Amino acid sequence: MQYTGDPRPSDVPEASFWRSMDIYSDHMVRRFEQLGFPLERIDSTGFMVGKTGTIYYRGLHAWKGAFLLMMARGGWVNTVHGNLELIRGKDAQWMRVRNRSFSSCKDWGASIRLAAFRRHRAYGFGGVTTRGAVYVVMNPARA
């Protein structure tokens, strides 16, 4: 398993600080994939929730998108940082359902990248099984 490093903002300015964090994690996964690592062997570590400065006082800001991207990147290990006790009730149920959606894709080891990473171009990740597919697409542009 290859660890991509702690989550942080990207070098490219974004209107949303949290989207910048997602883009950085996506970029790191892409770089390791270019070096020959299969997507399932990359731990993107892009998801975090929490109350401390080491987690940028994120709380639950934009956590669902970060969770979906972490799952869609296809890593067999997904490191989670922070205060998971913040996720409860309907949010915990939402997380469980999405986790289940991606679990069968990971069992098959069929993670794919949908498009090349280019500035201001949509890209994404997906998982394919014999029962269907799950895709997550990211639009890094404001348009």
Side-chain angles (χ1 to χ4, degrees):
M1 197 53 69
Q2 180 59 48
Y3 173 66
T4 61
D6 289 343
R8 69 173 189 84
S10 69
D11 296 332
V12 178
E14 282 291 323
S16 167
F17 179 78
W18 308 117
R19 178 171 279 197
S20 176
M21 300 278 290
D22 295 338
I23 290 170
Y24 175 79
S25 294
D26 291 341
H27 177 79
M28 292 304 294
V29 167
R30 174 69 178 126
R31 291 295 169 228
F32 280 103
E33 183 190 29
Q34 286 177 329
L35 291 171
F37 288 90
L39 287 173
E40 60 270 7
R41 301 289 174 109
I42 303 170
D43 176 5
S44 70
T45 66
F47 175 71
M48 59 184 182
V49 294
K51 303 175 184 179
T52 65
T54 56
I55 299 179
Y56 306 99
Y57 301 101
R58 183 174 197 145
L60 291 175
H61 296 291
W63 74 273
K64 288 181 178 180
F67 181 77
L68 287 175
L69 281 167
M70 177 187 71
M71 298 303 291
R73 290 178 192 124
W76 287 341
V77 172
N78 292 299
T79 302
V80 175
H81 297 279
N83 303 100
L84 292 181
E85 71 275 7
L86 295 175
I87 302 171
R88 53 183 170 232
K90 289 183 180 181
D91 286 338
Q93 173 71 9
W94 181 93
M95 191 177 195
R96 185 179 63 80
V97 169
R98 280 22 176 224
N99 186 49
R100 189 180 305 148
S101 297
F102 286 100
S103 292
S104 59
C105 297
K106 292 179 182 188
D107 292 343
W108 283 87
S111 300
I112 57 171
R113 183 178 39 81
L114 300 177
F117 288 79
R118 292 192 182 124
R119 188 178 176 138
H120 304 297
R121 300 282 172 110
Y123 62 88
F125 300 91
V128 181
T129 71
T130 57
R131 294 180 28 216
V134 181
Y135 300 103
V136 175
V137 177
M138 171 68 134
N139 180 7
R142 302 247 327 138

